[in-house]
Amino acid sequence: MSRTPVTKHDEGDGMTSLEMAPTDAGADGAAPLLEVRDLHVEFAVRDSVTKAVNGVNYSVSAGETLAVLGESGSGKSVTAQAIMGILDSPPGRIAKGEIFFQGQDILRLSEGERRKLRGAKMAMIFQDALSSLNPVLSVGFQLGEMFRVHQGMSRKDSKAKAIELMDRVRIPAAAQRVGDYPHQFSGGMRQRIMIAMALALEPDLIIADEPTTALDVTVQAQVMDLLAELQREYNMGLILITHDLGVVADVADKIAVMYAGRIVETAPVHELYKRPAHPYTKGLLESIPRLDHKGQELYAIKGLPPNLQAIPPGCAFNPRCAMAQDVCRTDVPPLVPVTELDGTELPGRHSACHFWKETIHG
Amino acid sequence: MGRYVVRRLGQLVVVVLGATMILFACLFVLPGDPVGQIAGSDKARDPAVIEQLHKQYGLDKPLVVQYGTYVGKLVTGDLGTDYTQSRPVTEILGPKLENTAKLAVAAIIIDIVIGISVGVLAAMRRYSIWDVSATFITTLAIGVPSIVLGMIMQRVFVIELDWFPLIAGDSFEGIILPAFTLAIIDAALVAQLARSTMLEVLRADYVKTAVAKGLPRRTVLTRHILRNSVIPVITYLGISFGGLLGGAIITETIFNWNGIGLALIQAIQQNNNPIIVGVVTIGVAVFVVLNLVVDLLYAALDPRIRLA
């Protein structure tokens, strides 16, 4: 099924222009596993509306890893929660958009149907495993709950399954530890339990929201490797939400960079590192501390992320951008395909910058 | 665990000794002769009779010796003999303690049922008219002293409406008003506590995890939210139950409920020291034991708590 990209400009608040872009089907040309189209999410608290997600488009195919990169408040987690159907609602609400999962728009499903997808077909791994696991229930109980609720399995069988899962994510002495509580495990082991819980029913899509942020650097690599390995084995689609460019490089196939609730750049992972096509991405890459720059001041993108209740008109990044011109303060840049200077297409690359040419080639 | 319980029960001994020692000292410095009232009215008192009574109850001996005698008997489960009836204190207080326990159990059931359900509903419908009314009414309930509330209830439901008997007796209807009077402040506090802990738990990450796992709403609520919300409430209820068993003096007085609270008031009016000491001893022991039970329960409900 191929979809025709439509580009439409919404006048008005200047923030809702629909950019159609990274709907590229999987590498094999089949329909993607998940496709988010023009998603808008708002949080209405009293008189003010916080526009957390303002027209996000992305897709993930089976076996593919999409990294969603952005600062806190860029809307990456909110998008993920909208996909899972676990937004705090109210005050959160999906104002507009479609989320196609395995060919159907899941936003049109009933809450009961959504619930059956959660855990079974799509699962989520959270950042802080200590607070994300229930402190008063044993890990075996919490793992087994997946099988009991979704498959009606008995307590005894589900416990055996829990042990199997703990083995699968390489927790030593799983059979002895199945009755232990979350606080009795180390941070890395707890995150493995979160991964095991997400994998329990072999879902087709896994969303990992900063899965390694709360871990030690040495443990980060182990957990990330485990996640990547299991993803390959089960051929799952993986959305990896992170603000850590280091984590992304090793495991992701493609990257979507988010800023103020919009995607500002998409690219295959290594191309993004080599030649960013958006000033924000460029700034992010330059702000990674480097050993060969020792002694020099660390680079930081100046300014602060925008207040989501009052996103600047035009390009949301313009107040912080060194390249900003008048057009950036008035017109929202659409997410357009990025090409070589001679017009050769760069597959999978898009940028939402009026001056993408100057950024990538200049 | 066993060692922990033994150590805590050891603390019980220390607390009972400390409390009774202070009480003995206080009663000793109080004006008035403990046996004065039973010796007859002021003028008719015969010094020989008073001396005889002092001898009989050991009041002629120094305070330290009196206290020693009390402790010696306490070890064997004897709380001494009272002054007005010359009966063993345990025999007098036994049935009264049973009455107080009945009242306390009824009150704690009201606390649990009303307190927790109001708190949970208020938290689930936060800022709704139900939540706002619950906050208003519970705050009001906490502010009204039970003596005022008890008398109003008695006036309205017993005298005006005649729904309940004036003398409680042993009937089920009889216990309702005193139990409510006794329970209402704690029920309100439980409601507020349950509401705030539940609001905290509702925001917890593990609740989001439970939803993301695809658990039905009801399962998320009962297994993941309620259980974590009631843990602090149970602690509070356990401690307040100890307080209730220690004697609901005001409630028992208003409703003429024949419990140890009423016995204590009467004993104080009559300088009946053995009863006063007996009630305090029982109250302290019950309170300490219940605290231990609460701590054990807390550890059983929350695996993060280590007893040490």
Side-chain angles (χ1 to χ4, degrees):
Chain A
M1 166 166 54
S2 71
R3 302 206 164 86
T4 327
V6 202
T7 309
K8 159 177 108 191
H9 250 295
D10 269 4
E11 312 299 330
D13 62 10
M15 279 177 297
T16 53
S17 76
L18 163 64
E19 327 96 86
M20 209 54 196
T23 54
D24 47 344
D28 53 359
L33 172 69
L34 175 90
E35 195 180 336
V36 177
R37 286 201 219 161
D38 193 28
L39 187 73
H40 290 69
V41 183
E42 307 174 336
F43 291 85
V45 182
R46 286 174 193 241
D47 312 326
S48 68
V49 175
T50 302
K51 299 194 169 184
V53 177
N54 305 302
V56 160
N57 294 276
Y58 62 56
S59 68
V60 189
S61 301
E64 191 181 40
T65 300
L66 164 72
V68 181
L69 200 71
E71 295 165 296
S72 11
S74 60
K76 53 198 197 305
S77 295
V78 174
T79 309
Q81 292 186 10
I83 296 168
M84 286 296 294
I86 57 169
L87 278 176
D88 287 322
S89 171
R93 115 190 151 83
I94 294 174
K96 200 175 154 191
E98 292 160 320
I99 298 172
F100 280 87
F101 179 72
Q102 294 177 331
Q104 64 177 337
D105 184 357
I106 54 175
L107 295 182
R108 291 171 189 274
L109 297 179
S110 70
E111 175 49 32
E113 291 167 315
R114 281 304 284 285
R115 181 179 75 68
K116 290 197 182 103
L117 288 180
R118 283 199 285 271
K121 298 283 177 198
M122 50 169 74
M124 189 150 173
I125 298 166
F126 295 93
Q127 181 182 139
D128 182 1
L130 181 58
S131 64
S132 297
L133 290 167
N134 192 324
V136 305
L137 300 173
S138 72
V139 298
F141 183 94
Q142 295 184 62
L143 287 168
E145 203 171 28
M146 300 294 288
F147 301 101
R148 289 193 300 275
V149 167
H150 286 279
Q151 299 178 346
M153 207 179 261
S154 73
R155 263 188 187 237
K156 195 165 151 273
D157 292 348
S158 72
K159 190 180 164 190
K161 279 284 199 181
I163 295 171
E164 207 181 299
L165 276 171
M166 286 167 72
D167 263 331
R168 193 77 201 74
V169 295
R170 297 199 279 275
I171 289 172
Q176 282 93 62
R177 304 214 62 186
V178 68
D180 283 357
Y181 293 90
H183 71 278
Q184 292 167 297
F185 291 85
S186 69
M189 288 298 149
R190 273 194 293 266
Q191 196 54 283
R192 283 163 195 263
I193 288 161
M194 280 302 285
I195 292 174
M197 200 145 80
L199 283 171
L201 304 175
E202 299 180 16
D204 301 301
L205 175 72
I206 290 218
I207 302 175
D209 191 352
E210 311 230 5
T212 60
T213 307
L215 303 176
D216 286 345
V217 181
T218 46
V219 182
Q220 278 184 2
Q222 294 169 10
V223 168
M224 212 52 243
D225 288 348
L226 175 72
L227 188 59
E229 176 196 319
L230 294 165
Q231 181 220 0
R232 270 194 304 277
E233 195 179 317
Y234 294 108
N235 197 34
M236 296 176 297
L238 174 65
I239 298 176
L240 182 65
I241 296 166
T242 183
H243 59 247
D244 186 343
L245 286 153
V247 168
V248 172
D250 301 329
V251 293
D253 297 307
K254 59 184 187 184
I255 297 191
V257 181
M258 284 189 72
Y259 188 83
R262 295 161 65 95
I263 290 182
V264 294
E265 178 168 5
T266 69
V269 62
H270 294 292
E271 290 197 35
L272 184 108
Y273 282 75
K274 245 182 284 164
R275 289 196 300 174
H278 193 285
Y280 175 63
T281 318
K282 210 170 175 177
L284 280 183
L285 292 170
E286 280 165 8
S287 56
I288 302 173
R290 285 168 51 169
L291 267 184
D292 53 340
H293 288 180
K294 201 177 171 192
Q296 298 173 22
E297 208 173 314
L298 289 173
Y299 177 83
I301 303 175
K302 64 173 186 171
L304 294 169
N307 172 3
L308 294 175
Q309 288 164 17
I311 298 173
C315 171
F317 187 61
N318 84 67
R320 305 173 72 183
C321 182
M323 298 171 70
Q325 309 286 323
D326 284 346
V327 63
C328 303
R329 289 181 265 274
T330 52
D331 292 4
V332 179
L335 192 61
V336 295
V338 169
T339 59
E340 294 289 8
L341 278 178
D342 60 9
T344 321
E345 260 190 70
L346 292 164
R349 296 214 61 169
H350 299 81
S351 169
C353 177
H354 292 298
F355 300 101
W356 63 265
K357 276 184 196 134
E358 290 79 350
T359 309
I360 191 170
H361 302 299
Chain B
M1 218 329 245
R3 279 174 64 188
Y4 174 79
V5 173
V6 169
R7 212 180 61 227
R8 285 289 297 266
L9 290 176
Q11 283 173 12
L12 167 69
V13 174
V14 177
V15 173
V16 167
L17 286 181
T20 50
M21 222 182 274
I22 293 168
L23 185 65
F24 257 79
C26 291
L27 292 175
F28 189 76
V29 300
L30 276 182
D33 189 335
V35 294
Q37 291 199 8
I38 40 172
S41 65
D42 280 346
K43 282 174 192 159
R45 251 178 227 165
D46 181 347
V49 172
I50 300 227
E51 199 180 322
Q52 164 64 27
L53 284 167
H54 276 190
K55 228 185 190 114
Q56 187 186 331
Y57 292 109
L59 294 171
D60 52 343
K61 303 208 177 72
L63 179 67
V64 180
V65 177
Q66 289 182 35
Y67 184 67
T69 314
Y70 157 79
V71 172
K73 283 182 177 170
L74 181 63
V75 174
T76 64
D78 183 359
L79 286 170
T81 310
D82 95 308
Y83 296 160
T84 52
Q85 303 172 47
S86 289
R87 284 167 63 209
V89 171
T90 45
E91 199 183 297
I92 296 173
L93 288 183
K96 291 179 191 290
L97 182 62
E98 200 186 310
N99 278 336
T100 296
K102 268 189 212 161
L103 190 59
V105 169
I108 215 80
I109 291 172
I110 294 170
D111 287 342
I112 294 170
V113 173
I114 297 186
I116 294 184
S117 41
V118 167
V120 165
L121 290 177
M124 285 172 68
R125 301 257 180 280
R126 194 182 187 184
Y127 300 139
S128 71
I129 181 77
W130 303 109
D131 181 27
V132 174
S133 330
T135 304
F136 179 76
I137 292 168
T138 53
T139 308
L140 194 69
I142 293 164
V144 176
S146 54
I147 188 161
V148 175
L149 185 81
M151 290 168 83
I152 294 173
M153 294 224 288
Q154 207 168 38
R155 170 94 209 174
V156 173
F157 295 111
V158 178
I159 297 169
E160 306 289 340
L161 296 169
D162 198 21
W163 287 358
F164 299 100
L166 182 61
I167 306 297
D170 255 350
S171 63
F172 175 72
E173 294 87 54
I175 204 169
I176 293 175
L177 284 189
F180 260 97
T181 307
L182 189 57
I184 211 87
I185 291 180
D186 272 337
L189 285 167
V190 165
Q192 295 193 344
L193 183 66
R195 177 183 179 272
S196 66
T197 54
M198 176 131 167
L199 285 175
E200 211 169 285
V201 173
L202 280 171
R203 281 198 304 269
D205 289 346
Y206 56 80
V207 172
K208 197 140 241 185
T209 308
V211 177
K213 282 163 89 172
L215 305 184
R217 257 168 112 79
R218 198 168 16 106
T219 313
V220 175
L221 182 69
T222 53
R223 199 173 293 152
H224 292 271
I225 297 175
L226 280 185
R227 180 164 167 187
N228 284 283
S229 305
V230 296
I231 291 173
V233 176
I234 286 171
T235 315
Y236 178 80
L237 281 172
I239 291 167
S240 82
F241 188 59
L244 297 181
L245 271 185
I249 297 168
I250 293 169
T251 308
E252 289 185 0
T253 308
I254 300 170
F255 292 95
N256 208 21
W257 187 266
N258 193 10
I260 59 172
L262 192 59
L264 181 63
I265 285 288
Q266 286 164 353
I268 290 170
Q269 285 161 352
Q270 296 166 352
N271 279 339
N272 200 348
N273 290 357
I275 297 283
I276 301 174
V277 175
V279 170
V280 171
T281 308
I282 293 170
V284 168
V286 163
F287 199 77
V288 174
V289 169
L290 268 167
N291 261 314
L292 172 61
V293 170
V294 166
D295 285 351
L296 294 177
L297 198 61
Y298 199 33
L301 285 168
D302 190 336
R304 287 168 299 180
I305 306 293
R306 280 271 179 79
L307 298 176

